[in-house]
Amino acid sequence: MGAVGSKQHARVPKASKLSDVYDDNENSVAARYDTLVSAFKTQFEGEKPKTIARSPGRVNLIGEHIDYEGYSVLPMAIGLDVIVAVSVALKEEGNVEEDEAEATLSIANVDGEKYTPKEFPFDHEQEVDVKSHHWTNYVLCGFKGIFDQLKKQNKLESVLESAFMKRVKKVMVMVDGKVPLGSGLSSFSALNCAVTVALMDAFELSFTKGELSELTCLSERYSGTQSGGMDQAISIMGEKDLAKRIDFNPIGAMDVPLPTNLTFLIGNSCAVSKKAESAHKHYNLRVVECRLAAILMAKHYGEDIEKAKTRVTLREVADLYCNKGDLWTALGAVRKALNEGSYTKKQLENDEGLGDLRKIFDCENNEAFNVVLQKNDTFKLRDRARHVFSEARRVHEFQKICEGQSPRYAVSGPIYEHWCKVIGLEPDVGVASDDPTKDFGHPMYGIGKEDALAKLMHLSHESCKTQYECSCDELDELVDAFMSAGALGARLTGAGWGGCVVAVCESDIAEEILADVKKSFYEKRFQSGVANIADETNLLFKTAPSAGAAILHYDDEKGVIV
Ligand code: NG1
């Protein structure tokens, strides 16, 4: 890789002062760490934390549901984060009783009433109980991921045999999270990443940011969703003042400077997206639909059916057959290769010749896919593939415009240019469908870059809503509320089906927009009890690109070193 601005080979920084990481008032941040440490001491009977780490949530500016299809996405880390304190108690040498006792992993939360504590054996091979949906599942994911990474590096045995690991008696973990749950701001990935970084440091191990991004993406799959990798990568590799284009295979993060006259706003739709619980009909179903679309596209290009069945992502197929991955060519191919509407399981298995779908998705070993195939009989392929290819284009266009390219030149590609000539219109960066003529009602030629970025966000939301069907009434209402209040653009962010909206506006009217949206969207929800006014600042706020994961030094006398 080695792209300018890529930081995947670096290590997670050890912050020397809070202002390296936070923009907020340092006293209140320091007080939060003090609370974490005192909760730690109370829970673990006077023990002191050995390591403290933090990792942030994120907001995805554009590029939804395409990371698991191999396409780049464009998120930024936000100021809300998860902080974790860890300590490792070692067995006393020569103490026979302790030697024989089973080592444990003990997990607790500063808000212990809402997030109850749990103890697990110190065993990296234990399974995560995906049916229980307990918050500690994500801590277990992080814990297991570390050992998976060691295995991948052929270091597992030597680490397990080390004097340190052999003497582990109890690993203690205390968590405090500020990323709202189920909001599309990656609360669980922030938890997984913060825990992984803290445990890595406490176990005296050292992985690069790229390794951490990959291992946390894989380990989060133990929680039951087929995670794409964006959330973990930006949580680990985020930086102040920069959005990032995150690439996959191999992982990389490229700096994307955002226009300084724009402000990004986040609003929570107050519809909670229970990602793990609803994965079989939402997130994981989409992963399955995209894979089926990739297989039928490969078949359309004449691939032998057995070979086509090994295709996993739409990108893989587009790169092979669509003019080296040209997204316009891919969009054109979608119309020829895939039927409109839904396919039934029977149609796919018999008429399309795919045979037992359970075999393609290795259902014996993959419970997440097994449940998807058990609980669904229809699969929409054309709409999903259209969304993926058009969204991948929008990411590319968004980045180019941020880098200073005129909206006019951000778009390229032979089919696109052909259509422009045929219908005699200037290039339009905002084409959302696979039929360029349909979207030329709003040419973007001549508009400023702020409007072009906003329009891409708007088109992204439309595509999520109509093609990917991952929006919901509350998200659509909130998008409209931002637009009526004067935002330039707004869209759902994250997986959708609830969660948050990200909007963009001229910085000088940000406060007015927030006040307006509060009135039109939130006040009725405060009155009806759907939202709590005490949470106001976490429901609707301005955000700026923030720092990624960090390790912090805690001094028992002085607190977190500032
Ligand atoms: P959320 O659920 O918003 O954190 C999920 C995935 C991402 C990506 C987005 C959709 C996980 C951990 N995160 O984000 O990888 O696919 O949906 O763009 O599964």
Side-chain angles (χ1 to χ4, degrees), residues 292-311:
L292 289 169
I295 294 172
L296 289 198
M297 281 186 74
K299 188 184 148 203
H300 164 80
Y301 280 106
E303 249 184 27
D304 167 75
I305 194 75
E306 289 311 315
K307 178 80 192 151
K309 276 156 59 173
T310 64
R311 299 292 170 205

Side-chain angles (χ1 to χ4, degrees), residues 387-431:
H387 167 78
V388 168
F389 291 132
S390 69
E391 186 76 352
R393 276 214 67 89
R394 285 185 286 272
V395 170
H396 172 78
E397 289 153 12
F398 196 98
Q399 184 196 357
K400 288 269 168 273
I401 295 168
C402 285
E403 284 171 349
Q405 232 183 79
S406 150
R408 178 180 178 182
Y409 296 107
V411 172
S412 59
I415 297 190
Y416 179 77
E417 274 149 23
H418 167 73
W419 273 106
C420 288
K421 271 192 212 129
V422 170
I423 62 174
L425 271 175
E426 294 290 353
D428 176 342
V429 295
V431 180

